[in-house]
Amino acid sequence: MIKSNKITKISLGLLALLFSANLLAHGGAAGTDTDQCKFELEKDHWLHYTAYQPNSFPAEEFCASLPKLNEKIMLVFDYQDNKYRNDTVEFEVTKEPEGKRVFFLAGAKHKKGTVELVLPEGVPEAGKYLIHITLVPDQGERLDAHMSFSAGGGAATAKTTYALYALGLVGALYMGYLSSAGFKRKVDDIIAKIVS
């Protein structure tokens, strides 16, 4: 019984680590930069980007691939430092390769360091889109940066979430198997019937 109790505690600890937001957030590898939703505007000055489709995927964050068409999209940009908070920044989203504009936010200063773009109708066609970010500093040259995303890939982009749920369910069933003699007996009976 003591050994089973230890295994249950270890399993619960590992399961808690699996669902830890710190481990999963933007790559989770300590000491390395694995954030795929971050891009460099200038040397050592970064912008973080997160996309949401809150109507269909209220708890999902997306980066390079959005599953749904013709549905509200929220694009959120966070300055990683204070450098650009006094600069005028404009945003544009275009359908590629045509370069057709689907969204434009006129230049403005975003002193809080976060910019939220809302495309109420989303994007109408599947394919590649480009986010154009233009910085217009009070002094110096304009700076153009680009980041692409694709849209219309379907719910397959959220497969990792379903995999985590399945893994959690398997972990919970396994812990139940280890800690409950009645459940273990039922599972063993089912396995014996399948094998024989």
Side-chain angles (χ1 to χ4, degrees):
M1 183 66 176
I2 293 174
K3 186 176 180 181
S4 177
N5 219 0
K6 269 188 177 180
I7 291 173
T8 301
K9 287 180 182 179
I10 290 170
S11 298
L12 284 171
L14 291 174
L15 192 61
L17 284 175
L18 176 68
F19 288 104
S20 169
N22 290 333
L23 288 178
L24 295 173
H26 308 298
T32 61
D33 190 1
T34 60
D35 187 351
Q36 299 300 312
C37 295
K38 180 170 114 171
F39 57 103
E40 195 169 30
L41 294 171
E42 292 181 285
K43 181 152 178 54
D44 297 324
H45 296 287
W46 298 85
L47 189 68
H48 184 268
Y49 154 78
T50 309
Y52 301 92
Q53 286 195 304
N55 295 343
S56 292
F57 303 98
E60 292 282 335
E61 292 183 2
F62 298 97
C63 181
S65 184
L66 295 168
K68 296 272 191 167
L69 297 174
N70 300 308
E71 186 175 296
K72 179 180 178 180
I73 296 172
M74 293 172 56
L75 305 174
V76 179
F77 298 87
D78 294 302
Y79 303 149
Q80 297 290 293
D81 55 39
N82 291 325
K83 179 174 172 48
Y84 303 113
R85 293 184 187 202
N86 292 315
D87 294 342
T88 299
V89 185
E90 71 180 34
F91 293 86
E92 180 182 32
V93 178
T94 57
K95 170 75 172 83
E96 298 301 323
E98 310 91 296
K100 178 183 172 190
R101 180 187 280 181
V102 295
F103 180 84
F104 180 73
L105 179 66
K109 293 184 180 187
H110 305 281
K111 298 221 178 243
K112 66 181 181 174
T114 297
V115 183
E116 184 178 296
L117 311 182
V118 178
L119 289 71
E121 304 299 321
V123 292
E125 302 173 48
K128 183 179 176 185
Y129 290 83
L130 198 60
I131 302 166
H132 307 265
I133 301 160
T134 304
L135 295 159
V136 186
D138 292 334
Q139 297 176 0
E141 288 183 37
R142 288 172 63 99
L143 175 67
D144 292 313
H146 303 92
M147 183 169 188
S148 65
F149 69 91
S150 62
T157 55
K159 282 183 181 176
T160 54
T161 301
Y162 295 123
L164 286 174
Y165 290 148
L167 186 61
L169 179 62
V170 168
L173 289 172
Y174 183 66
M175 288 186 295
Y177 176 81
L178 292 176
S179 61
S180 171
F183 183 64
K184 182 179 185 318
R185 191 170 33 257
K186 287 179 184 177
V187 170
D188 289 343
D189 289 343
I190 291 170
I191 292 173
K193 287 178 185 176
I194 291 171
V195 173
S196 56

